[in-house]
Amino acid sequence: MLLPIVASVIYLFILAYLSLKAYRGTKTTQDYMLGGRQIHPMVMALSYGATFISTSAIVGFGGNAGLFGMSLLWLTFLNIFVGVFIAFLFFGKRTRKMGHNLDAHTFPELLGTRFNSRFIQGFSALVVFLFMPFYAAAVLKGGVGYLATTFNIDFNVTLFFFVMIIALYVSMGGMKGVMYTDAFQGSIMFAGMLFLLIFVYTKLGGVTQAHTALTNLMQEPAVQEQTAKMSAAGFQGWTSMPKFQSPYWWTVVTSVVMGVGIGVLAQPQLVVRFMTVKSNRELNRAVVSGGIFILMMTGVAFVVGALANVVFFQTEGKVAMVAAGGVIDNIIPLFLKNNLPGWFNTVFMLTLMSAAMSTLSSQYHVVGTSIGRDLFEKSLKIKGDSIIVTRIGIVISILVSALFAYVGNQLKTDIGVIAQATSIFFGICAAAFLPVYVGALYFRKLSKKAAIASILTGSIVSFIWIFFIHAKNASTIGLSKLLFGKPYLLAETAYAKLALVDAVIIAVPLSVIVLIVVALLTKPDVDEKHLDKCFNGIK
Amino acid sequence: MVLGIPDFWIWSAFLLSILSAVACVVYGVMNWNKGADAEPS
């Protein structure tokens, strides 16, 4: 018990040192919101990766891999190819340049100033403020749950101390504090996951042997008995895709893979990272460490989550889902606790603490700037100290997400609360922002009216689909039951199968169609001089 | 059967994940010194 305490104290001291260093280097609004646009490429890549990957990916989606198997590796592929390669090269470079041209400090500000629209900036900030706490609560639950188990402390007490520490260093050091600590935390995460990968493959006799053992697991009568209910939902083993168009297939393909895999391109807390470096050279260099980092995070989490079934079966005669008592979010913590050496649990505790803190700090920072900079200062034109308003925004978002995490801890759902809340936020961002973001960067003539119509369509359709149509989300949230007496509106109707489809599959295409149709029906309404400024230096 | 995985859709995802990380490294290294356009609220 002494080792985790000593390690945690040293870890917190290093965080305090880095935050203090950042605090001393933060003098202007640009420092506070963008790190002075002078961030080192390695720090930027680690910060992007550590922000992208949270306890949600490791505990939440890793646990999902324990249930759905290696089919989640399609998300790993999208995380690297779309989330790093496409994001840095096709979005990052233009975002950096346009953000610089327009002196934009945040993602809503980039969209708002690009179309000369205070409404776009204010509404985008409002979407971030309203829905980011869902995602933050998911990350909080993953981190706090693991810490509470490690230290044997009550969940709510751990939650309180955890959010207090993050609140302190985010509000103090601004973006520099967030990115310096991200880089430190990202390094710990990389080491922890690398060891976990080596440990599990070594324990199971090598890569091919481990995969073969996982494939053969389905031949065991005990496993067939334990997975009978899963098989009825489309499960065909941990090294096979779920049965085409089965409930499991819809969940894996639309909610987990597409929702998060595409949604990453329009994450406000990730987009703002592109604006913190001074030239495209830094982005070229950041791609190197970004790709390896994401492979080591989600690739390892999903492979280990699936292989946990072999280890659990060898040691307890149960598959992971049964061993974890039917709670997906408990699979990874339980696997680590039961199978890894004690000292490694300390290393992994720091890995998960880093994963949670690095993502939460960015989430809170982006909610704070959405309120302080985008909504009050720019959209509503309220005069005042935007850094103070930002800090108030950070405190509000922390309180709301802590409340959601507390409520989420009481829930038990079959995709896992952590992964569910994460895919909700990623899906909303994809539908509301992605079509407009692409248009803003690549289509000079796109009208302001088309941009507004697309953002509104994506947001409203996502909201309706998530809260009232999608079976799992609507049932978990409970608003449909409260208002209409049905867990979701399509329950017990001929269209019940449609309720398996994630909002992202419906809302993103609709948002794109509306953008194109309105763009064709309206004349360009952003003046040429402003467009010259936007696209200055963009080839 | 590739690397002990029988389903094409799974082993291709496994290999594509590794290949896309390699592509990131190759691109980054080949363009290591390109794009420096250091500019001067």
Side-chain angles (χ1 to χ4, degrees):
Chain A
M1 193 59 195
L2 186 65
L3 187 62
I5 293 171
V6 171
S8 301
V9 169
I10 293 170
Y11 170 82
L12 291 174
F13 264 110
I14 295 173
L15 281 190
Y17 166 74
L18 290 169
S19 299
L20 196 63
K21 185 179 156 74
Y23 178 70
R24 286 177 176 158
T26 296
K27 292 177 175 62
T28 66
T29 302
Q30 196 177 75
D31 283 340
Y32 192 83
M33 297 196 182
L34 287 176
R37 296 189 199 270
Q38 298 287 320
I39 297 291
H40 189 277
M42 189 71 174
V43 172
M44 184 269 177
L46 277 172
S47 174
Y48 182 94
T51 298
F52 184 0
I53 303 302
S54 63
T55 40
S56 174
I58 300 170
V59 175
F61 286 85
N64 264 269
L67 171 64
F68 298 120
M70 289 186 168
S71 53
L72 262 72
L73 284 172
W74 281 105
L75 178 57
T76 300
F77 167 61
L78 288 184
N79 282 164
I80 301 167
F81 186 67
V82 175
V84 176
F85 196 79
I86 301 284
F88 278 48
L89 305 182
F90 294 95
F91 286 77
K93 291 181 176 181
R94 283 179 175 240
T95 300
R96 186 200 67 77
K97 186 65 186 158
M98 195 176 283
H100 204 119
N101 291 343
L102 298 171
D103 195 27
H105 291 56
T106 66
F107 181 50
E109 185 169 22
L110 177 75
L111 294 180
T113 49
R114 159 68 178 83
F115 292 104
N116 247 339
S117 165
R118 279 163 55 189
F119 174 79
I120 288 179
Q121 185 168 355
F123 186 80
S124 303
L126 199 63
V127 170
V128 171
F129 177 68
L130 291 177
F131 292 102
M132 184 70 97
F134 277 98
Y135 179 24
V139 176
L140 258 181
K141 184 179 179 293
V144 170
Y146 189 77
L147 278 178
T149 311
T150 303
F151 287 113
N152 214 4
I153 310 172
D154 178 62
F155 180 91
N156 300 330
V157 174
T158 315
L159 181 66
F160 174 76
F161 282 107
F162 203 67
V163 294
M164 289 299 284
I165 291 166
I166 298 169
L168 196 65
Y169 84 77
V170 176
S171 57
M172 259 177 62
M175 187 55 123
K176 276 186 182 173
V178 169
M179 290 186 81
Y180 288 171
T181 50
D182 277 359
F184 163 62
Q185 290 160 334
S187 308
I188 292 177
M189 290 160 69
F190 190 88
M193 295 303 274
L194 180 63
F195 179 85
L196 182 62
L197 179 73
I198 294 167
F199 176 85
V200 172
Y201 272 139
T202 306
K203 187 180 172 74
L204 296 175
V207 176
T208 303
Q209 288 81 347
H211 297 166
T212 305
L214 185 62
T215 302
N216 294 341
L217 207 56
M218 280 305 282
Q219 313 301 324
E220 299 282 348
V223 171
Q224 289 172 3
E225 191 183 326
Q226 289 174 34
T227 57
K229 205 174 163 188
M230 291 157 61
S231 298
F235 178 73
Q236 302 192 107
W238 294 278
T239 53
S240 297
M241 285 295 283
K243 200 173 175 184
F244 184 57
Q245 291 200 346
S246 65
Y248 269 29
W249 186 88
W250 283 111
T251 300
V252 168
V253 174
T254 68
S255 294
V256 177
V257 175
M258 299 300 284
V260 178
I262 304 296
V264 65
L265 286 172
Q267 290 291 298
Q269 74 280 18
L270 297 181
V271 170
V272 75
R273 296 269 177 301
F274 299 137
M275 297 193 254
T276 63
V277 293
K278 65 180 177 185
S279 78
N280 285 349
R281 185 179 63 183
E282 278 66 31
L283 290 173
N284 286 337
R285 292 179 178 185
V287 164
V288 175
S289 33
I292 297 171
F293 185 85
I294 300 295
L295 177 69
M296 199 46 70
M297 293 297 119
T298 61
V300 172
F302 301 165
V303 165
V304 168
L307 290 174
N309 286 286
V310 179
V311 180
F312 274 124
F313 190 73
Q314 286 175 353
T315 54
E316 300 178 31
K318 296 172 182 170
V319 300
M321 189 64 176
V322 176
V327 182
I328 288 181
D329 295 341
N330 287 350
I331 291 176
I332 295 288
L334 189 72
F335 170 74
L336 297 171
K337 195 176 179 183
N338 291 359
N339 296 289
L340 276 89
W343 63 269
F344 182 72
N345 267 311
T346 302
V347 172
F348 210 79
M349 177 200 71
L350 292 180
T351 299
L352 283 183
M353 196 142 77
S354 297
M357 283 185 164
S358 55
T359 303
L360 284 163
S361 59
S362 304
Q363 290 170 326
Y364 293 145
H365 185 267
V366 93
V367 174
T369 55
S370 290
I371 294 300
R373 173 88 178 175
D374 297 316
L375 208 57
F376 279 81
E377 187 186 349
K378 294 291 179 180
S379 190
L380 301 175
K381 294 284 180 193
I382 296 172
K383 286 287 173 195
D385 187 335
S386 66
I387 292 181
I388 288 178
V389 183
T390 296
R391 284 176 172 152
I392 293 168
I394 288 169
V395 171
I396 292 170
S397 66
I398 286 173
L399 291 175
V400 174
S401 65
L403 177 68
F404 284 178
Y406 171 77
V407 173
N409 195 41
Q410 324 296 320
L411 296 171
K412 190 170 124 179
T413 73
D414 58 356
I415 178 180
V417 173
I418 295 175
Q420 195 171 1
T422 304
S423 68
I424 284 176
F425 183 72
F426 274 66
I428 287 174
C429 285
F433 304 136
L434 188 54
V436 171
Y437 184 31
V438 174
L441 296 178
Y442 282 93
F443 298 97
R444 192 184 159 99
K445 299 284 185 191
L446 186 67
S447 70
K448 184 197 302 187
K449 292 184 185 75
I452 290 174
S454 173
I455 289 178
L456 287 174
T457 303
S459 310
I460 293 166
V461 172
S462 288
F463 178 82
I464 292 170
W465 201 271
I466 288 164
F467 281 74
F468 300 105
I469 309 283
H470 189 256
K472 280 175 184 160
N473 289 335
S475 304
T476 305
I477 293 165
L479 194 61
S480 175
K481 180 87 175 165
L482 191 72
L483 296 178
F484 304 108
K486 296 169 84 170
Y488 55 100
L489 291 182
L490 297 180
E492 298 159 23
T493 68
Y495 303 103
K497 203 160 186 178
L498 199 59
L500 297 171
V501 180
D502 195 85
V504 78
I505 300 296
I506 306 295
V508 173
L510 273 176
S511 181
V512 171
I513 291 166
V514 166
L515 184 84
I516 294 168
V517 170
V518 178
L520 292 173
L521 295 176
T522 55
K523 288 180 178 173
D525 49 8
V526 181
D527 75 77
E528 276 300 318
K529 202 176 163 191
H530 178 71
L531 287 173
D532 287 340
K533 186 182 174 187
C534 291
F535 286 89
N536 178 30
I538 294 176
K539 292 183 274 291
Chain B
M1 181 83 87
V2 174
L3 291 170
I5 302 169
D7 188 337
F8 163 80
W9 290 103
I10 304 295
W11 62 253
S12 57
F14 188 91
L15 294 178
L16 276 172
S17 299
I18 295 168
L19 281 175
S20 51
V22 171
C24 287
V25 173
V26 170
Y27 179 89
V29 170
M30 285 176 70
N31 293 280
W32 191 258
N33 284 319
K34 291 177 186 167
D37 55 349
E39 298 144 284
S41 66

